[in-house]
Structure formats: structure tokens, C-alpha cells
Amino acid sequence: MQYCTECVYPAVSFAPLLFDEDGVCSGCRVRKQAEHVDWDERKRLLGEVLNEYKTDGSNYDCIIPVSGGKDSYFQTHVITSVFGLKPLLVTYHGNNFLECGQRNLERMRDVFDVDHHIFSPSVQLLKKINRLGFKKMGDMNWHNHCGIFTYPVQAAVKFKVPLIIWGEHGYTDLGGMHSIKDSVEMTARYRLEHACRGFDWHDMIDEEEGITEKDLLWAKYPTDDELGDLGIRGVYISNYMDWDGYKNYVLSRDLYDWQEHPEPFERTYRSFSNMDDMHENGIHDYLKYVKVGYGRATDHACKDIRWGRMTREEGIEMVRKYDHVKPRKDLERWLTYVDMSEEEFDTICDTFRDRRVWRKQNGSWVKDNIWDESIQCSTSTKVPKEPASIPTT
Ligand SMILES: [Zn+2]
């Protein structure tokens, strides 16, 4: 397995990655590119975009999709405090918020003096769709990814608010999917192919689970005509402000009393990410490890290495400590939630293992690890080399 020579990403990754001739991944290169962007000029450009959509008082100026996390607070801070706009906050609520996540979410309308529209599907449906998503694609949180990228766009159509302010372009932040120079905007294609893993609402109609079209109304992306008639546009704020999740955390905490998770998570050292779903840092992330051999500790370490908050060696230690952990407490809760045995869970997990990463050895699944690099190097030096010159008789 090839690993980035600067951060800790492996070549087989959910975030599309490219390596250059020095073995540096596109995520690291795009981060370096961001250091040379004129961010004051970008901020001015954001002001121009926002002015274009500012209403005379007849409607909200924009919609901000929020989960109540540190990034949601940052987006809302920029739109309200820096630019003085009146947004409508919109949340897809998947029923499994952590307590502190729920607290942070509920405070937003008070702290920012804004209206907040929260949508939650039926709990019975959510349990069914957790189970189905897990069996179909190894991702119980499909409904979350779909809801987060669909419901706010439905709300934009419903409330006739054409501008949607998203946070960061996730795969650009993680893996450098696009150049910052491209200033890409949100597309239906990104929603379907990346956020929804290629599965749309109609793929989740299921007789065995009893899921019908009427259960999935919230998961239907608006039509091209609906989007076109209103001129709906989804802008990533990360194209206009130098995006750093850690700085967003500090700002939210210091200015708005935003609270991080009071206890450490089982699978990563960061305690201020993904509090809108208790399984996101737990069993959902463990499934990523089962599939492609790394988890959120790798994602977090890459970000911290790129910002100079951690050395690569320290990052490797975090990967070694956290990526393989099977989160017992979190798994038990999820198995009860969806009524499944651990045996069934493990059996289904194994069907999703990527064979470019995993191989069976003496009955166990094994893979290459980033900390094996030095061992492999020292081994290879012991391999006898070919003679410098071959006798020609
Ligand atoms: Zn890298």
C-alpha cells in the first residue's frame, strides 16, 4: 500500500486522491495551494455574492444547512455577524444526536437570533433504513448523508430562497478533489455519487423492511426545473474563507460557548467533530476501517499534520492507536437500536472488505500498515542484490 509521504493517507481512500512523483497526495498539495490564495480578495468576492441575493426584507437572504457542529456555528457567524444577513437555518435530524450535540444545535436560534427549521423523519423509518443501509452498502448512515444534502435544497425550493451556504467541500478538504482555483459549487452529482454513495431514494424502497416511496419524500432531490426556475445555487464558504475545522472549533467555543464532547471517543483523539450522530465516530467509522482499512483518526491526523499541529510520526501513532478499535459501547447501542446480533453484524461487515486492502492469513483478515514502512525498508536492504556485472562467458 502506498501512503502519502507527508500526511498518513493510504492510496485506497474514500476521498479521491492522486499522488505526485514525490509521493505527496493531492490533499496535501491543495492545502499548500491554499497558503498562497489571497483570502482578503476571496472574502470580498463572498460579499459580492451575498449582496446579489440579499433581499429587501420580503424573504430570508439565504439558507444555511446546519448540524449544530463547530462548522455550522462558523458558517452562521460569518453570515450573520460578519456580513449582517438574515439566514434561515435548516437541519436534517437523524434522531441520534449526542447530548452535547443536541444542546449545541438547539442554542443556535438563540445565540444567532435566527429562525431554525428542523426536520426529523419517523423513528421507525430511521431504524429500518439504518438496517437497510448497512446491509446494502455497509453504511447505516446513508439516510444522514442523503438527508443533509437533500432536505436543505428542498427547503430552498419550498421557501423560495435561492442561495444555500454550505460549509466546506468535504473531499477537497480531505483529499484535494478540486483545486481551490476552481471554486466549485454544490451539485446534484456530488450529492448522489459521493454523499449518497451512488444510491438514491428509489434504491431504498424495500419490501422486506416495508419502506415505500411515501416514507422517502424527504430524500427526493428537487427536479432540474424546480432548481432552474428559482436559480438555486449552493456555495461553499470554504472557497472564500481559509477553511480550518480546528479554528472553527476555537471560534465557536470562545465566542458562543459551543461545547465539545465531554468524554474521549473510542475511535479518534478529536472530541469536537461529528456530534450530530452518536454512531458517526463509532460503528459508522469502524465500517470505514473494515471497508478500506483506515478511519477517522487517519482523517483527523492528516488535517493536523497539514496545519503543522502534529508531526507525521505523531500522526502515525494516532492511526496505530485508534483506527482498528471496535467500539464496544457504540456497537451495543446500535445493535439494540436496529435489533441485530453481533454475529450477523460481523458477517455482513466482512462482505464489504476491499480486497485491494485486506487479505486472509491463517483465518484472520490482515492488511499493510503505515508503521510497517520502516520495517519493509530495512527488510528490503537485506535482500541480496543482483551482481553488478553479469559474467559473459
Ligand atoms: Zn498527504
Side-chain angles (χ1 to χ4, degrees):
M1 180 68 66
Q2 184 182 4
Y3 296 92
C4 175
T5 50
E6 294 197 357
C7 70
V8 291
Y9 266 131
V12 177
S13 147
F14 273 123
L17 283 182
L18 288 173
F19 289 80
D20 69 8
E21 59 277 9
D22 298 319
V24 180
C25 80
S26 39
C28 286
R29 280 181 283 136
V30 167
R31 179 61 237 148
K32 277 183 202 136
Q33 184 189 44
E35 289 166 13
H36 302 286
V37 168
D38 181 350
W39 290 108
D40 289 335
E41 170 61 9
R42 290 285 179 117
K43 190 174 164 190
R44 196 190 60 75
L45 288 173
L46 177 60
E48 277 184 10
V49 171
L50 296 176
N51 266 337
E52 214 180 299
Y53 291 91
K54 197 169 181 173
T55 68
D56 53 6
S58 59
N59 202 350
Y60 298 102
D61 297 320
C62 62
I63 276 179
I64 312 180
V66 296
S67 66
K70 65 195 190 314
D71 299 334
S72 303
Y73 270 60
F74 175 72
Q75 284 157 257
T76 311
H77 164 79
V78 170
I79 295 303
T80 58
S81 302
V82 180
F83 287 100
L85 266 66
K86 187 76 174 178
L88 171 66
L89 307 189
V90 178
T91 299
Y92 169 85
H93 194 300
N95 197 45
N96 281 334
F97 270 63
L98 286 162
E99 205 179 311
C100 54
Q102 183 69 29
R103 173 221 178 245
N104 291 333
L105 179 76
E106 283 174 8
R107 290 175 74 251
M108 291 194 84
R109 66 198 174 106
D110 184 23
V111 167
F112 293 104
D113 182 23
V114 292
D115 300 343
H116 191 170
H117 178 74
I118 300 178
F119 174 81
S120 325
S122 135
V123 177
Q124 294 315 309
L125 182 265
L126 286 170
K127 288 182 179 180
K128 291 175 187 173
I129 213 162
N130 256 259
R131 210 159 35 218
L132 183 67
F134 170 61
K135 290 179 181 172
K136 236 177 167 56
M137 68 195 89
D139 185 352
M140 67 278 288
N141 277 351
W142 175 88
H143 71 92
N144 260 335
H145 316 310
C146 178
I148 287 166
F149 283 94
T150 306
Y151 192 76
V153 187
Q154 278 192 5
V157 172
K158 228 171 272 176
F159 290 99
K160 297 188 168 54
V161 180
L163 182 65
I164 305 174
I165 303 290
W166 298 93
E168 87 280 35
H169 186 282
Y171 281 159
T172 295
D173 189 41
L174 286 170
M177 183 172 172
H178 297 285
S179 161
I180 292 176
K181 289 176 187 163
D182 291 342
S183 291
V184 292
E185 300 195 348
M186 163 68 176
T187 63
R189 185 175 174 184
Y190 185 83
R191 165 197 170 268
L192 180 60
E193 292 184 3
H194 295 285
C196 295
R197 321 273 184 250
F199 293 81
D200 215 335
W201 65 270
H202 44 79
D203 297 309
M204 305 306 275
I205 291 176
D206 191 84
E207 215 170 297
E208 202 185 319
E209 287 288 2
I211 301 174
T212 66
E213 182 174 2
K214 277 188 192 171
D215 296 316
L216 296 163
L217 300 174
W218 53 270
K220 289 184 177 183
Y221 203 68
T223 63
D224 285 351
D225 283 346
E226 286 171 319
L227 297 170
D229 288 349
L230 285 159
I232 304 267
R233 178 181 180 190
V235 165
Y236 294 104
I237 219 167
S238 59
N239 284 325
Y240 301 96
M241 321 282 285
D242 197 6
W243 186 266
D244 177 7
Y246 181 78
K247 279 190 202 152
N248 295 350
Y249 153 65
V250 172
L251 177 139
S252 311
R253 182 195 64 193
D254 294 353
L255 291 185
Y256 300 107
D257 189 28
W258 183 90
Q259 287 177 6
E260 66 189 290
H261 195 242
E263 295 159 30
F265 288 116
E266 290 170 276
R267 290 189 40 79
T268 184
Y269 60 95
R270 264 196 189 188
S271 54
F272 55 75
S273 293
N274 308 104
M275 294 191 293
D276 55 338
D277 189 294
M278 63 180 77
H279 301 300
E280 193 64 23
N281 281 332
I283 211 65
H284 171 263
D285 189 52
Y286 173 73
L287 271 163
K288 178 155 111 174
Y289 174 71
V290 167
K291 282 187 260 187
V292 289
Y294 75 94
R296 198 150 263 148
T298 290
D299 294 329
H300 292 160
C302 288
K303 291 182 185 184
D304 283 330
I305 292 167
R306 290 173 194 160
W307 280 93
R309 300 188 180 108
M310 192 179 265
T311 63
R312 187 168 184 269
E313 288 64 39
E314 287 165 341
I316 290 173
E317 279 317 302
M318 291 298 119
V319 174
R320 189 177 197 149
K321 183 172 174 188
Y322 288 106
D323 266 3
H324 69 282
V325 173
K326 191 174 185 181
R328 302 295 331 168
K329 226 170 92 186
D330 192 72
L331 175 60
E332 272 169 37
R333 193 273 175 186
W334 189 77
L335 292 175
T336 310
Y337 187 58
V338 302
D339 189 23
M340 188 182 286
S341 72
E342 185 167 350
E343 199 186 356
E344 188 183 357
F345 175 82
D346 287 338
T347 307
I348 294 171
C349 270
D350 283 345
T351 64
F352 291 105
R353 287 189 192 265
D354 191 317
R355 297 306 176 104
R356 291 171 300 172
V357 175
W358 296 99
R359 56 189 184 276
K360 264 262 164 92
Q361 210 173 66
N362 304 324
S364 305
W365 291 103
V366 295
K367 65 177 197 74
D368 294 342
N369 291 299
I370 191 167
W371 54 88
D372 296 334
E373 275 180 336
S374 53
I375 301 166
Q376 282 166 359
C377 288
S378 61
T379 310
S380 66
T381 56
K382 287 177 198 156
V383 174
K385 288 181 180 163
E386 283 200 1
S389 62
I390 300 167
T392 52
T393 50

